[in-house]
């Protein structure tokens, strides 16, 4: 039974999504409870899955009983199990938050909830997939539902959803081309099988070209600078109810897909045409972290600021996983988990501000009346996490990335982590300067916020601190999984 | 230069792939009309599919349905896997087209225009 857990984790949201039109046809009011229920079941399964994987080692799932490399393989190892748990927990909190801000038209819309569940299912498949083509299929499932969700409100959002679609589909096509190159060169699509066949021919033009195509395709999906231009527009205009879910999961899971490919195919010290590949990736991460942070600093719109903050963190994670040593790698993966949680919290706060106060920009914040202490509290916790101060998880992620950078002797990378911390501090100082501006109506009672909002903001703030407190054990079991040759 | 031309001459399939890819990309990037951008995207996706089919083509190969038992001569059969990938990629392409046409029609209903410049003007 427990060996079926990865498939169950995928099937729960997928089945709930596909059967939604039948179940909810006559009673559209059950859409929302059904969606939240399905994701809650996923969270439970993900916890069980993580325990099983930690105690019993990675589960290799052969779909339909066809063993790899002939069949399609899924690999449920420590990293996949941890990321799936993160994704489902963040999705659950985002959906609870979504109950507050969702417009009435979408609240009872069957297709909207089906899209959310299919998106989550696609992300789960993408995390587990250990087969290059399977990654492509789930990448597209997640991306297509993502485009539709961004444009769900119509009007202005559909223009930006369309742009997102053009870029995203182009990225997917590049990825497919890369897969075709690697298949033509090696005759296999299974990642473990590729890892044994590639080292002999890794310097051939076809393999190098294929890897470059794959990286370009995925870096559009993960919004790596300079291919990030779709992200701020898309997430600024996405419905408030799904923006936390989209912002926290889609780019990170694309990055997880790349990490798997990178970890199994690119050995440390590999050079193609005198270019050390991992160092090149690390430098791309450096550029993304610095430019993303600088762009966030000059934004005046809150959502855009947070979106650019996410772009810069993608760079940080890429630095961590490309350092070529376990410390940096684990730091990067741990930071990825934290970043998913923090992005969700940021977009929840921004969405709640739009919903309750109609505030979108820093100037709006300055003239804002009294606001709920829940919002202030969550904003303070998430700011501490984003800047990276203990006891939040953000600190321990950055700390391990810096340790890894020093271990590898890459001072530029270590410097970048510190610099991006300062940039993050810069834009949070700007936000707080407006937030605590006490000129307007400070004496009045704050408007009470809905219970769901309190639950989601409270839970997500607690989980940010909990991740920091548990960072020691999380980092340890991630390190152990690396020692066992996992990923 | 002569060598390059010779190499290209021997690989007409790949020349066609490159032309299709760049052509589609140019249309995507340069045309202000949303539907024409879509057509460009479609051409780019088709070029990737063409690439998959082109490298898997085999002269005189049979359909890969193996009836006889015993040792099988792999060279006598076409490789089914790239074709399976192609079919899946086409399904993805169709789904992308569906979503994108829905978005374009929603844009048109709101702004009464398919021209990117005009729509962006209205947005500002």
């Amino acid at each position: 039974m427990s060996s079926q857990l990865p498939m169950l984790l995928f099937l729960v949201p997928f089945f709930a999504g596909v059967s939604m039109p039948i179940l909810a046809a006559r009673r559209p009011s059950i859409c929302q409870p059904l969606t939240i229920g399905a994701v809650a079941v996923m969270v439970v399964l993900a916890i069980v899955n993580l325990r099983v994987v930690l105690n019993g080692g990675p589960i290799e799932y052969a779909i339909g009983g066809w063993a790899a490399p002939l069949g399609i393989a899924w690999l449920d190892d420590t990293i996949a199990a941890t990321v799936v748990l993160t994704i489902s927990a963040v999705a659950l909190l985002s959906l609870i938050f979504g109950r507050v801000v969702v417009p009435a038209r979408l609240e009872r819309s069957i297709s909207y909830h089906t899209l959310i569940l299919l998106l989550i299912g696609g992300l789960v498949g993408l995390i587990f997939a250990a087969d290059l083509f399977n990654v492509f299929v789930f990448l597209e499932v997640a991306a297509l539902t993502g485009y539709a969700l961004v444009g769900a409100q119509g009007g202005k959002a559909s223009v930006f959803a369309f742009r997102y679609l053009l870029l995203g589909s182009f990225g997917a096509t590049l990825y497919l081309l890369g897969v075709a190159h690697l298949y033509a060169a090696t005759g296999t699509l299974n990642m473990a099988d590729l890892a044994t066949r590639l080292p002999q021919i890794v310097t051939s033009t076809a393999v190098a070209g294929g890897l470059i195509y794959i990286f370009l395709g995925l870096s559009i999906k993960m919004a790596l600078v300079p291919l990030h231009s779709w992200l701020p527009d898309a997430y600024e205009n996405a419905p408030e109810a799904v923006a936390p879910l989209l912002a926290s999961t889609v780019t990170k899971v694309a990055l997880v897909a790349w990490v798997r490919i990178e970890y199994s195919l690119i050995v440390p010290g590999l050079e193609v045409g005198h270019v050390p590949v991992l160092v090149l990736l690390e430098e791309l991460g450096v550029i993304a972290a610095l430019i993303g942070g600088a762009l966030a600093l000059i934004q005046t719109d809150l959502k855009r600021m947070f979106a650019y903050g996410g772009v810069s963190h993608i760079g940080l994670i890429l630095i961590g996983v490309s350092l070529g040593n376990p410390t940096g790698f684990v730091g990067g993966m741990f930071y990825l988990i934290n970043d998913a949680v923090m992005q969700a919290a940021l977009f929840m706060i921004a969405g709640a501000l739009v919903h309750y106060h109609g505030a979108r920009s820093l100037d709006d914040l300055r003239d804002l009346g009294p606001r709920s202490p829940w919002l202030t509290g969550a904003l303070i916790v998430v700011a501490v996490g984003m800047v990276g101060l203990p006891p939040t998880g953000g600190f321990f992620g950055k700390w391990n990335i810096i340790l890894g950078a020093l271990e590898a002797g890459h001072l530029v990378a270590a410097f970048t982590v510190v610099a991006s911390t300062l940039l993050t501090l810069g834009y949070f100082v700007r936000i707080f300067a407006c937030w605590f501006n006490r000129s307007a109506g400070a004496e009045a009672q704050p408007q009470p916020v809905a219970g769901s909002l309190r639950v989601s903001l409270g839970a997500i703030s607690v989980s940010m601190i909990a991740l920091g407190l548990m960072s020691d054990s999380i980092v340890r079991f991630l390190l152990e999984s690396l020692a066992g040759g996992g990923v | 230069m002569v060598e390059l031309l010779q190499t290209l001459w021997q690989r007409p399939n790949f020349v066609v792939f490159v032309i299709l890819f760049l052509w589609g990309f140019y249309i995507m990037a340069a045309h202000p009309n949303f539907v024409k951008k879509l057509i460009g995207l479609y051409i780019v996706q088709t070029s990737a599919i063409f690439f998959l089919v082109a490298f898997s083509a085999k002269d005189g190969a049979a359909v890969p349905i193996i009836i006889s038992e015993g040792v099988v001569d792999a060279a006598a059969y076409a490789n089914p896997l790239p074709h399976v990938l192609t079919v899946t990629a086409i399904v993805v392409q169709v789904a992308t087209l569906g979503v994108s046409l829905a978005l374009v029609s929603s844009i048109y209903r709101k702004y009464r225009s398919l021209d990117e410049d005009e729509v962006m003007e209205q947005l500002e």
Side-chain angles (χ1 to χ4, degrees), chain A residues 5-29:
Chain A
L5 274 171
M7 191 39 88
L8 274 178
L9 269 166
F10 166 71
L11 283 182
V12 168
F14 185 78
F15 246 69
V18 173
S19 55
M20 184 81 74
I22 305 166
L23 294 175
R26 283 164 191 276
R27 289 157 295 166
S29 57

PDB file of all heavy atoms in Angstrom, chain A residues 5-29:
ATOM      1  N   LEU A   5       1.924   5.292  -2.643  1.00  0.00           N
ATOM      2  CA  LEU A   5       1.696   6.656  -2.167  1.00  0.00           C
ATOM      3  C   LEU A   5       1.939   7.738  -3.218  1.00  0.00           C
ATOM      4  O   LEU A   5       1.128   8.655  -3.346  1.00  0.00           O
ATOM      5  CB  LEU A   5       2.561   6.921  -0.924  1.00  0.00           C
ATOM      6  CG  LEU A   5       1.929   6.486   0.387  1.00  0.00           C
ATOM      7  CD1 LEU A   5       2.935   6.582   1.502  1.00  0.00           C
ATOM      8  CD2 LEU A   5       0.742   7.372   0.695  1.00  0.00           C
ATOM      9  N   PRO A   6       3.035   7.671  -4.006  1.00  0.00           N
ATOM     10  CA  PRO A   6       3.236   8.744  -4.984  1.00  0.00           C
ATOM     11  C   PRO A   6       2.072   8.860  -5.956  1.00  0.00           C
ATOM     12  O   PRO A   6       1.585   9.961  -6.235  1.00  0.00           O
ATOM     13  CB  PRO A   6       4.517   8.328  -5.719  1.00  0.00           C
ATOM     14  CG  PRO A   6       5.168   7.327  -4.870  1.00  0.00           C
ATOM     15  CD  PRO A   6       4.144   6.712  -4.006  1.00  0.00           C
ATOM     16  N   MET A   7       1.574   7.692  -6.428  1.00  0.00           N
ATOM     17  CA  MET A   7       0.472   7.737  -7.375  1.00  0.00           C
ATOM     18  C   MET A   7      -0.789   8.269  -6.715  1.00  0.00           C
ATOM     19  O   MET A   7      -1.524   9.060  -7.295  1.00  0.00           O
ATOM     20  CB  MET A   7       0.263   6.330  -7.925  1.00  0.00           C
ATOM     21  CG  MET A   7      -0.658   6.239  -9.116  1.00  0.00           C
ATOM     22  SD  MET A   7      -0.508   7.554 -10.302  1.00  0.00           S
ATOM     23  CE  MET A   7       0.749   6.988 -11.381  1.00  0.00           C
ATOM     24  N   LEU A   8      -1.019   7.854  -5.442  1.00  0.00           N
ATOM     25  CA  LEU A   8      -2.196   8.356  -4.721  1.00  0.00           C
ATOM     26  C   LEU A   8      -2.135   9.867  -4.582  1.00  0.00           C
ATOM     27  O   LEU A   8      -3.140  10.564  -4.768  1.00  0.00           O
ATOM     28  CB  LEU A   8      -2.262   7.727  -3.332  1.00  0.00           C
ATOM     29  CG  LEU A   8      -2.959   6.372  -3.231  1.00  0.00           C
ATOM     30  CD1 LEU A   8      -2.888   5.871  -1.812  1.00  0.00           C
ATOM     31  CD2 LEU A   8      -4.403   6.512  -3.670  1.00  0.00           C
ATOM     32  N   LEU A   9      -0.934  10.375  -4.270  1.00  0.00           N
ATOM     33  CA  LEU A   9      -0.776  11.817  -4.092  1.00  0.00           C
ATOM     34  C   LEU A   9      -1.141  12.557  -5.365  1.00  0.00           C
ATOM     35  O   LEU A   9      -1.649  13.675  -5.329  1.00  0.00           O
ATOM     36  CB  LEU A   9       0.670  12.137  -3.719  1.00  0.00           C
ATOM     37  CG  LEU A   9       0.959  12.166  -2.239  1.00  0.00           C
ATOM     38  CD1 LEU A   9       2.435  12.155  -2.004  1.00  0.00           C
ATOM     39  CD2 LEU A   9       0.350  13.408  -1.642  1.00  0.00           C
ATOM     40  N   PHE A  10      -0.871  11.939  -6.509  1.00  0.00           N
ATOM     41  CA  PHE A  10      -1.233  12.582  -7.772  1.00  0.00           C
ATOM     42  C   PHE A  10      -2.714  12.394  -8.052  1.00  0.00           C
ATOM     43  O   PHE A  10      -3.395  13.301  -8.513  1.00  0.00           O
ATOM     44  CB  PHE A  10      -0.397  11.998  -8.915  1.00  0.00           C
ATOM     45  CG  PHE A  10      -0.919  12.347 -10.270  1.00  0.00           C
ATOM     46  CD1 PHE A  10      -0.811  13.637 -10.743  1.00  0.00           C
ATOM     47  CD2 PHE A  10      -1.545  11.405 -11.053  1.00  0.00           C
ATOM     48  CE1 PHE A  10      -1.311  13.981 -11.976  1.00  0.00           C
ATOM     49  CE2 PHE A  10      -2.045  11.739 -12.294  1.00  0.00           C
ATOM     50  CZ  PHE A  10      -1.927  13.026 -12.758  1.00  0.00           C
ATOM     51  N   LEU A  11      -3.222  11.186  -7.780  1.00  0.00           N
ATOM     52  CA  LEU A  11      -4.592  10.865  -8.187  1.00  0.00           C
ATOM     53  C   LEU A  11      -5.638  11.623  -7.384  1.00  0.00           C
ATOM     54  O   LEU A  11      -6.699  11.929  -7.914  1.00  0.00           O
ATOM     55  CB  LEU A  11      -4.839   9.359  -8.071  1.00  0.00           C
ATOM     56  CG  LEU A  11      -4.239   8.526  -9.202  1.00  0.00           C
ATOM     57  CD1 LEU A  11      -4.581   7.068  -9.014  1.00  0.00           C
ATOM     58  CD2 LEU A  11      -4.732   9.005 -10.555  1.00  0.00           C
ATOM     59  N   VAL A  12      -5.337  11.922  -6.096  1.00  0.00           N
ATOM     60  CA  VAL A  12      -6.355  12.599  -5.288  1.00  0.00           C
ATOM     61  C   VAL A  12      -6.772  13.940  -5.909  1.00  0.00           C
ATOM     62  O   VAL A  12      -7.938  14.132  -6.229  1.00  0.00           O
ATOM     63  CB  VAL A  12      -5.891  12.754  -3.825  1.00  0.00           C
ATOM     64  CG1 VAL A  12      -6.786  13.696  -3.062  1.00  0.00           C
ATOM     65  CG2 VAL A  12      -5.861  11.400  -3.157  1.00  0.00           C
ATOM     66  N   PRO A  13      -5.807  14.878  -6.147  1.00  0.00           N
ATOM     67  CA  PRO A  13      -6.255  16.131  -6.767  1.00  0.00           C
ATOM     68  C   PRO A  13      -6.747  15.925  -8.197  1.00  0.00           C
ATOM     69  O   PRO A  13      -7.710  16.561  -8.627  1.00  0.00           O
ATOM     70  CB  PRO A  13      -5.005  17.015  -6.725  1.00  0.00           C
ATOM     71  CG  PRO A  13      -3.878  16.097  -6.595  1.00  0.00           C
ATOM     72  CD  PRO A  13      -4.372  14.907  -5.830  1.00  0.00           C
ATOM     73  N   PHE A  14      -6.115  15.011  -8.928  1.00  0.00           N
ATOM     74  CA  PHE A  14      -6.495  14.820 -10.327  1.00  0.00           C
ATOM     75  C   PHE A  14      -7.924  14.305 -10.428  1.00  0.00           C
ATOM     76  O   PHE A  14      -8.738  14.835 -11.186  1.00  0.00           O
ATOM     77  CB  PHE A  14      -5.513  13.838 -10.982  1.00  0.00           C
ATOM     78  CG  PHE A  14      -5.737  13.660 -12.440  1.00  0.00           C
ATOM     79  CD1 PHE A  14      -5.296  14.620 -13.334  1.00  0.00           C
ATOM     80  CD2 PHE A  14      -6.391  12.547 -12.922  1.00  0.00           C
ATOM     81  CE1 PHE A  14      -5.512  14.462 -14.685  1.00  0.00           C
ATOM     82  CE2 PHE A  14      -6.601  12.393 -14.270  1.00  0.00           C
ATOM     83  CZ  PHE A  14      -6.166  13.345 -15.150  1.00  0.00           C
ATOM     84  N   PHE A  15      -8.239  13.263  -9.628  1.00  0.00           N
ATOM     85  CA  PHE A  15      -9.590  12.690  -9.686  1.00  0.00           C
ATOM     86  C   PHE A  15     -10.614  13.693  -9.199  1.00  0.00           C
ATOM     87  O   PHE A  15     -11.674  13.825  -9.805  1.00  0.00           O
ATOM     88  CB  PHE A  15      -9.640  11.411  -8.848  1.00  0.00           C
ATOM     89  CG  PHE A  15      -9.876  10.208  -9.672  1.00  0.00           C
ATOM     90  CD1 PHE A  15      -8.899   9.758 -10.537  1.00  0.00           C
ATOM     91  CD2 PHE A  15     -11.098   9.553  -9.641  1.00  0.00           C
ATOM     92  CE1 PHE A  15      -9.117   8.664 -11.340  1.00  0.00           C
ATOM     93  CE2 PHE A  15     -11.328   8.454 -10.441  1.00  0.00           C
ATOM     94  CZ  PHE A  15     -10.338   8.002 -11.277  1.00  0.00           C
ATOM     95  N   ALA A  16     -10.287  14.368  -8.096  1.00  0.00           N
ATOM     96  CA  ALA A  16     -11.236  15.356  -7.583  1.00  0.00           C
ATOM     97  C   ALA A  16     -11.485  16.425  -8.645  1.00  0.00           C
ATOM     98  O   ALA A  16     -12.621  16.857  -8.854  1.00  0.00           O
ATOM     99  CB  ALA A  16     -10.693  15.988  -6.308  1.00  0.00           C
ATOM    100  N   GLY A  17     -10.411  16.826  -9.357  1.00  0.00           N
ATOM    101  CA  GLY A  17     -10.555  17.850 -10.387  1.00  0.00           C
ATOM    102  C   GLY A  17     -11.398  17.372 -11.543  1.00  0.00           C
ATOM    103  O   GLY A  17     -12.295  18.064 -12.016  1.00  0.00           O
ATOM    104  N   VAL A  18     -11.134  16.150 -12.002  1.00  0.00           N
ATOM    105  CA  VAL A  18     -11.839  15.658 -13.185  1.00  0.00           C
ATOM    106  C   VAL A  18     -13.294  15.360 -12.862  1.00  0.00           C
ATOM    107  O   VAL A  18     -14.189  15.565 -13.697  1.00  0.00           O
ATOM    108  CB  VAL A  18     -11.116  14.414 -13.747  1.00  0.00           C
ATOM    109  CG1 VAL A  18     -11.904  13.795 -14.865  1.00  0.00           C
ATOM    110  CG2 VAL A  18      -9.741  14.811 -14.234  1.00  0.00           C
ATOM    111  N   SER A  19     -13.558  14.892 -11.616  1.00  0.00           N
ATOM    112  CA  SER A  19     -14.944  14.544 -11.313  1.00  0.00           C
ATOM    113  C   SER A  19     -15.755  15.741 -10.828  1.00  0.00           C
ATOM    114  O   SER A  19     -16.956  15.629 -10.632  1.00  0.00           O
ATOM    115  CB  SER A  19     -14.990  13.426 -10.264  1.00  0.00           C
ATOM    116  OG  SER A  19     -14.269  13.828  -9.139  1.00  0.00           O
ATOM    117  N   MET A  20     -15.075  16.890 -10.658  1.00  0.00           N
ATOM    118  CA  MET A  20     -15.786  18.091 -10.194  1.00  0.00           C
ATOM    119  C   MET A  20     -16.996  18.443 -11.066  1.00  0.00           C
ATOM    120  O   MET A  20     -18.083  18.693 -10.536  1.00  0.00           O
ATOM    121  CB  MET A  20     -14.804  19.262 -10.129  1.00  0.00           C
ATOM    122  CG  MET A  20     -15.366  20.527  -9.591  1.00  0.00           C
ATOM    123  SD  MET A  20     -15.406  20.492  -7.817  1.00  0.00           S
ATOM    124  CE  MET A  20     -13.703  20.700  -7.410  1.00  0.00           C
ATOM    125  N   PRO A  21     -16.871  18.447 -12.391  1.00  0.00           N
ATOM    126  CA  PRO A  21     -18.030  18.811 -13.213  1.00  0.00           C
ATOM    127  C   PRO A  21     -19.218  17.879 -13.001  1.00  0.00           C
ATOM    128  O   PRO A  21     -20.369  18.298 -13.138  1.00  0.00           O
ATOM    129  CB  PRO A  21     -17.500  18.698 -14.650  1.00  0.00           C
ATOM    130  CG  PRO A  21     -16.038  18.847 -14.528  1.00  0.00           C
ATOM    131  CD  PRO A  21     -15.670  18.255 -13.207  1.00  0.00           C
ATOM    132  N   ILE A  22     -18.966  16.603 -12.652  1.00  0.00           N
ATOM    133  CA  ILE A  22     -20.074  15.673 -12.427  1.00  0.00           C
ATOM    134  C   ILE A  22     -20.658  15.905 -11.037  1.00  0.00           C
ATOM    135  O   ILE A  22     -21.868  16.042 -10.870  1.00  0.00           O
ATOM    136  CB  ILE A  22     -19.587  14.220 -12.543  1.00  0.00           C
ATOM    137  CG1 ILE A  22     -18.899  14.021 -13.899  1.00  0.00           C
ATOM    138  CG2 ILE A  22     -20.731  13.240 -12.381  1.00  0.00           C
ATOM    139  CD1 ILE A  22     -18.098  12.763 -13.990  1.00  0.00           C
ATOM    140  N   LEU A  23     -19.765  15.953 -10.034  1.00  0.00           N
ATOM    141  CA  LEU A  23     -20.238  16.032  -8.656  1.00  0.00           C
ATOM    142  C   LEU A  23     -20.939  17.353  -8.373  1.00  0.00           C
ATOM    143  O   LEU A  23     -21.926  17.406  -7.638  1.00  0.00           O
ATOM    144  CB  LEU A  23     -19.063  15.864  -7.685  1.00  0.00           C
ATOM    145  CG  LEU A  23     -18.390  14.501  -7.694  1.00  0.00           C
ATOM    146  CD1 LEU A  23     -17.179  14.504  -6.779  1.00  0.00           C
ATOM    147  CD2 LEU A  23     -19.372  13.426  -7.242  1.00  0.00           C
ATOM    148  N   ALA A  24     -20.409  18.432  -8.947  1.00  0.00           N
ATOM    149  CA  ALA A  24     -20.890  19.753  -8.562  1.00  0.00           C
ATOM    150  C   ALA A  24     -21.847  20.348  -9.582  1.00  0.00           C
ATOM    151  O   ALA A  24     -22.211  21.509  -9.488  1.00  0.00           O
ATOM    152  CB  ALA A  24     -19.707  20.695  -8.332  1.00  0.00           C
ATOM    153  N   ALA A  25     -22.259  19.547 -10.573  1.00  0.00           N
ATOM    154  CA  ALA A  25     -23.075  20.112 -11.646  1.00  0.00           C
ATOM    155  C   ALA A  25     -24.346  20.748 -11.106  1.00  0.00           C
ATOM    156  O   ALA A  25     -24.762  21.811 -11.551  1.00  0.00           O
ATOM    157  CB  ALA A  25     -23.415  19.025 -12.658  1.00  0.00           C
ATOM    158  N   ARG A  26     -24.990  20.072 -10.137  1.00  0.00           N
ATOM    159  CA  ARG A  26     -26.258  20.597  -9.632  1.00  0.00           C
ATOM    160  C   ARG A  26     -26.073  21.482  -8.411  1.00  0.00           C
ATOM    161  O   ARG A  26     -26.952  22.267  -8.073  1.00  0.00           O
ATOM    162  CB  ARG A  26     -27.183  19.432  -9.281  1.00  0.00           C
ATOM    163  CG  ARG A  26     -27.782  18.824 -10.510  1.00  0.00           C
ATOM    164  CD  ARG A  26     -28.368  17.465 -10.210  1.00  0.00           C
ATOM    165  NE  ARG A  26     -28.715  16.793 -11.459  1.00  0.00           N
ATOM    166  CZ  ARG A  26     -29.854  16.997 -12.091  1.00  0.00           C
ATOM    167  NH1 ARG A  26     -30.735  17.814 -11.586  1.00  0.00           N
ATOM    168  NH2 ARG A  26     -30.105  16.367 -13.215  1.00  0.00           N
ATOM    169  N   ARG A  27     -24.951  21.292  -7.702  1.00  0.00           N
ATOM    170  CA  ARG A  27     -24.734  22.077  -6.482  1.00  0.00           C
ATOM    171  C   ARG A  27     -23.384  22.780  -6.559  1.00  0.00           C
ATOM    172  O   ARG A  27     -22.399  22.294  -5.989  1.00  0.00           O
ATOM    173  CB  ARG A  27     -24.769  21.168  -5.257  1.00  0.00           C
ATOM    174  CG  ARG A  27     -26.152  20.652  -4.922  1.00  0.00           C
ATOM    175  CD  ARG A  27     -26.035  19.387  -4.104  1.00  0.00           C
ATOM    176  NE  ARG A  27     -25.412  18.318  -4.902  1.00  0.00           N
ATOM    177  CZ  ARG A  27     -24.926  17.188  -4.392  1.00  0.00           C
ATOM    178  NH1 ARG A  27     -24.932  17.009  -3.100  1.00  0.00           N
ATOM    179  NH2 ARG A  27     -24.414  16.268  -5.180  1.00  0.00           N
ATOM    180  N   PRO A  28     -23.301  23.877  -7.252  1.00  0.00           N
ATOM    181  CA  PRO A  28     -21.993  24.539  -7.391  1.00  0.00           C
ATOM    182  C   PRO A  28     -21.410  24.981  -6.052  1.00  0.00           C
ATOM    183  O   PRO A  28     -20.223  25.271  -5.962  1.00  0.00           O
ATOM    184  CB  PRO A  28     -22.270  25.734  -8.298  1.00  0.00           C
ATOM    185  CG  PRO A  28     -23.723  25.830  -8.422  1.00  0.00           C
ATOM    186  CD  PRO A  28     -24.344  24.554  -8.010  1.00  0.00           C
ATOM    187  N   SER A  29     -22.239  24.990  -5.001  1.00  0.00           N
ATOM    188  CA  SER A  29     -21.710  25.455  -3.711  1.00  0.00           C
ATOM    189  C   SER A  29     -20.745  24.444  -3.103  1.00  0.00           C
ATOM    190  O   SER A  29     -19.998  24.782  -2.189  1.00  0.00           O
ATOM    191  CB  SER A  29     -22.859  25.728  -2.737  1.00  0.00           C
ATOM    192  OG  SER A  29     -23.632  24.555  -2.600  1.00  0.00           O
TER     193      SER A  29
END
